[in-house]
Amino acid sequence: LGKVDENIDLLVEFAHEVDVLYNYTKKDTQSLIRDKLVAYYAKEVIVFAKKERITNKVANFPIEISRFGFKKTLLQLETMGHASLRIKDSMPIKTLEQNYIVDLELDKSYRFDDLEFNVKEIPGVLETGIFINIADRIYSVENKTVKTIADFMK
């Protein structure tokens, strides 16, 4: 990851899900807080996603939560779907900031912006894997062909 205090000219992301409004989610991370800061301060953000991952609604995504009170945070997230800590070798995986990552599989689909707002209202939630209004360009990939999202939507 780049350093936020330095100029970041270009960030290339590989998204889990994208929408036509240039919002996206990502799942693979070592720190959603760092990912979000780097993406926000990059001069240009280019995102790639598989064609089948173009959607209007979010189905599942990661959330970075505080270790303090994490069980209560998990209970609140469970009201939206199945929330589970990422585990490795029987221990919760810690982010670079020593927080936990939760994978949330939603009971129903939500719009990207609604979901980002609702989840961040839960005490203990530090950051989400939902990136709203950050991408400058999004490209979709299908059978080794790269096109803009607009081209795939025709």
Side-chain angles (χ1 to χ4, degrees), residues 55-70:
T55 181
N56 293 337
K57 309 274 185 170
V58 179
N60 58 69
F61 64 101
I63 302 165
E64 189 165 344
I65 66 168
S66 171
R67 288 183 0 204
F68 179 77
F70 77 92

Side-chain angles (χ1 to χ4, degrees), residues 93-110:
I93 294 175
K94 294 180 185 171
T95 65
L96 296 171
E97 289 78 25
Q98 302 303 304
N99 301 310
Y100 291 151
I101 295 286
V102 172
D103 289 305
L104 180 60
E105 294 179 34
L106 299 166
D107 287 339
K108 63 178 188 173
S109 294
Y110 293 84

Side-chain angles (χ1 to χ4, degrees), residues 18-57:
V18 298
D19 72 4
V20 295
L21 300 174
Y22 290 78
N23 302 314
Y24 66 98
T25 65
K26 65 183 288 184
K27 288 188 117 178
D28 296 326
T29 185
Q30 292 181 327
S31 170
L32 289 166
I33 293 169
R34 289 182 186 215
D35 292 351
K36 193 76 65 103
L37 283 167
V38 169
Y40 182 81
Y41 288 110
K43 290 179 184 170
E44 185 170 14
V45 177
I46 299 174
V47 177
F48 291 89
K50 293 180 180 176
K51 181 185 178 198
E52 62 269 16
R53 296 296 185 165
I54 300 171
T55 181
N56 293 337
K57 309 274 185 170

